[in-house]
Amino acid sequence: GDKVREKFKDQLPFLFKVLSVNKALSIQAHPAKDHAETLHAQKPSVYKDPNHKPEIAIALTNFEGLCGFRPLEEIQKFLNSLPELQTVIGSKPTQDLLAAKPDSYETA
């Protein structure tokens, strides 16, 4: 919406993908923000934008994530600061994640 557009000046800092995960996905590597900015400045024809590409998985059906997810505290920080993320994830999963403790995170 307008808030996101104003904050990021028409340059989303993430890549939006909708995937059907019926088999294991390939490993992807993305540069850190400062490295992405340097690469974009040096070779804009190859590195199309100056943003890093943090990723988040939102499962619409049963899904098993195996590794590489952000720490619970960081996910909770994003949920608290981005109401749009809460809307996408939904009320119940958001409440579960915000109430989760590191020792109960696997079952949240």
Side-chain angles (χ1 to χ4, degrees):
D2 291 337
K3 280 175 42 179
V4 173
R5 190 172 193 179
E6 181 180 322
K7 181 174 183 173
F8 298 110
K9 312 290 187 241
D10 293 332
Q11 290 291 319
L12 286 177
F14 58 86
L15 178 62
F16 183 79
K17 297 183 201 177
V18 177
L19 303 173
S20 175
V21 186
N22 289 326
K23 61 181 181 175
L25 298 175
S26 63
I27 295 173
Q28 297 182 5
H30 301 290
K33 175 73 170 152
D34 58 340
H35 192 205
E37 290 171 344
T38 301
L39 292 170
H40 175 68
Q42 292 172 347
K43 297 181 181 180
S45 63
V46 177
Y47 299 96
K48 302 296 185 188
D49 74 53
N51 287 303
H52 56 325
K53 299 296 180 196
E55 297 185 12
I56 184 170
I58 301 170
L60 302 178
T61 59
N62 288 340
F63 176 83
E64 184 176 341
L66 301 177
C67 66
F69 289 92
R70 292 182 180 271
L72 175 61
E73 295 81 11
E74 196 170 337
I75 293 170
Q76 290 170 327
K77 177 183 159 196
F78 288 132
L79 286 170
N80 282 318
S81 63
L82 297 168
E84 298 85 358
L85 182 57
Q86 293 182 23
T87 300
V88 170
I89 292 174
S91 180
K92 175 75 168 106
T94 295
Q95 290 172 5
D96 290 346
L97 280 165
L98 290 174
K101 304 289 182 223
D103 62 337
S104 66
Y105 182 39
E106 291 182 359
T107 60

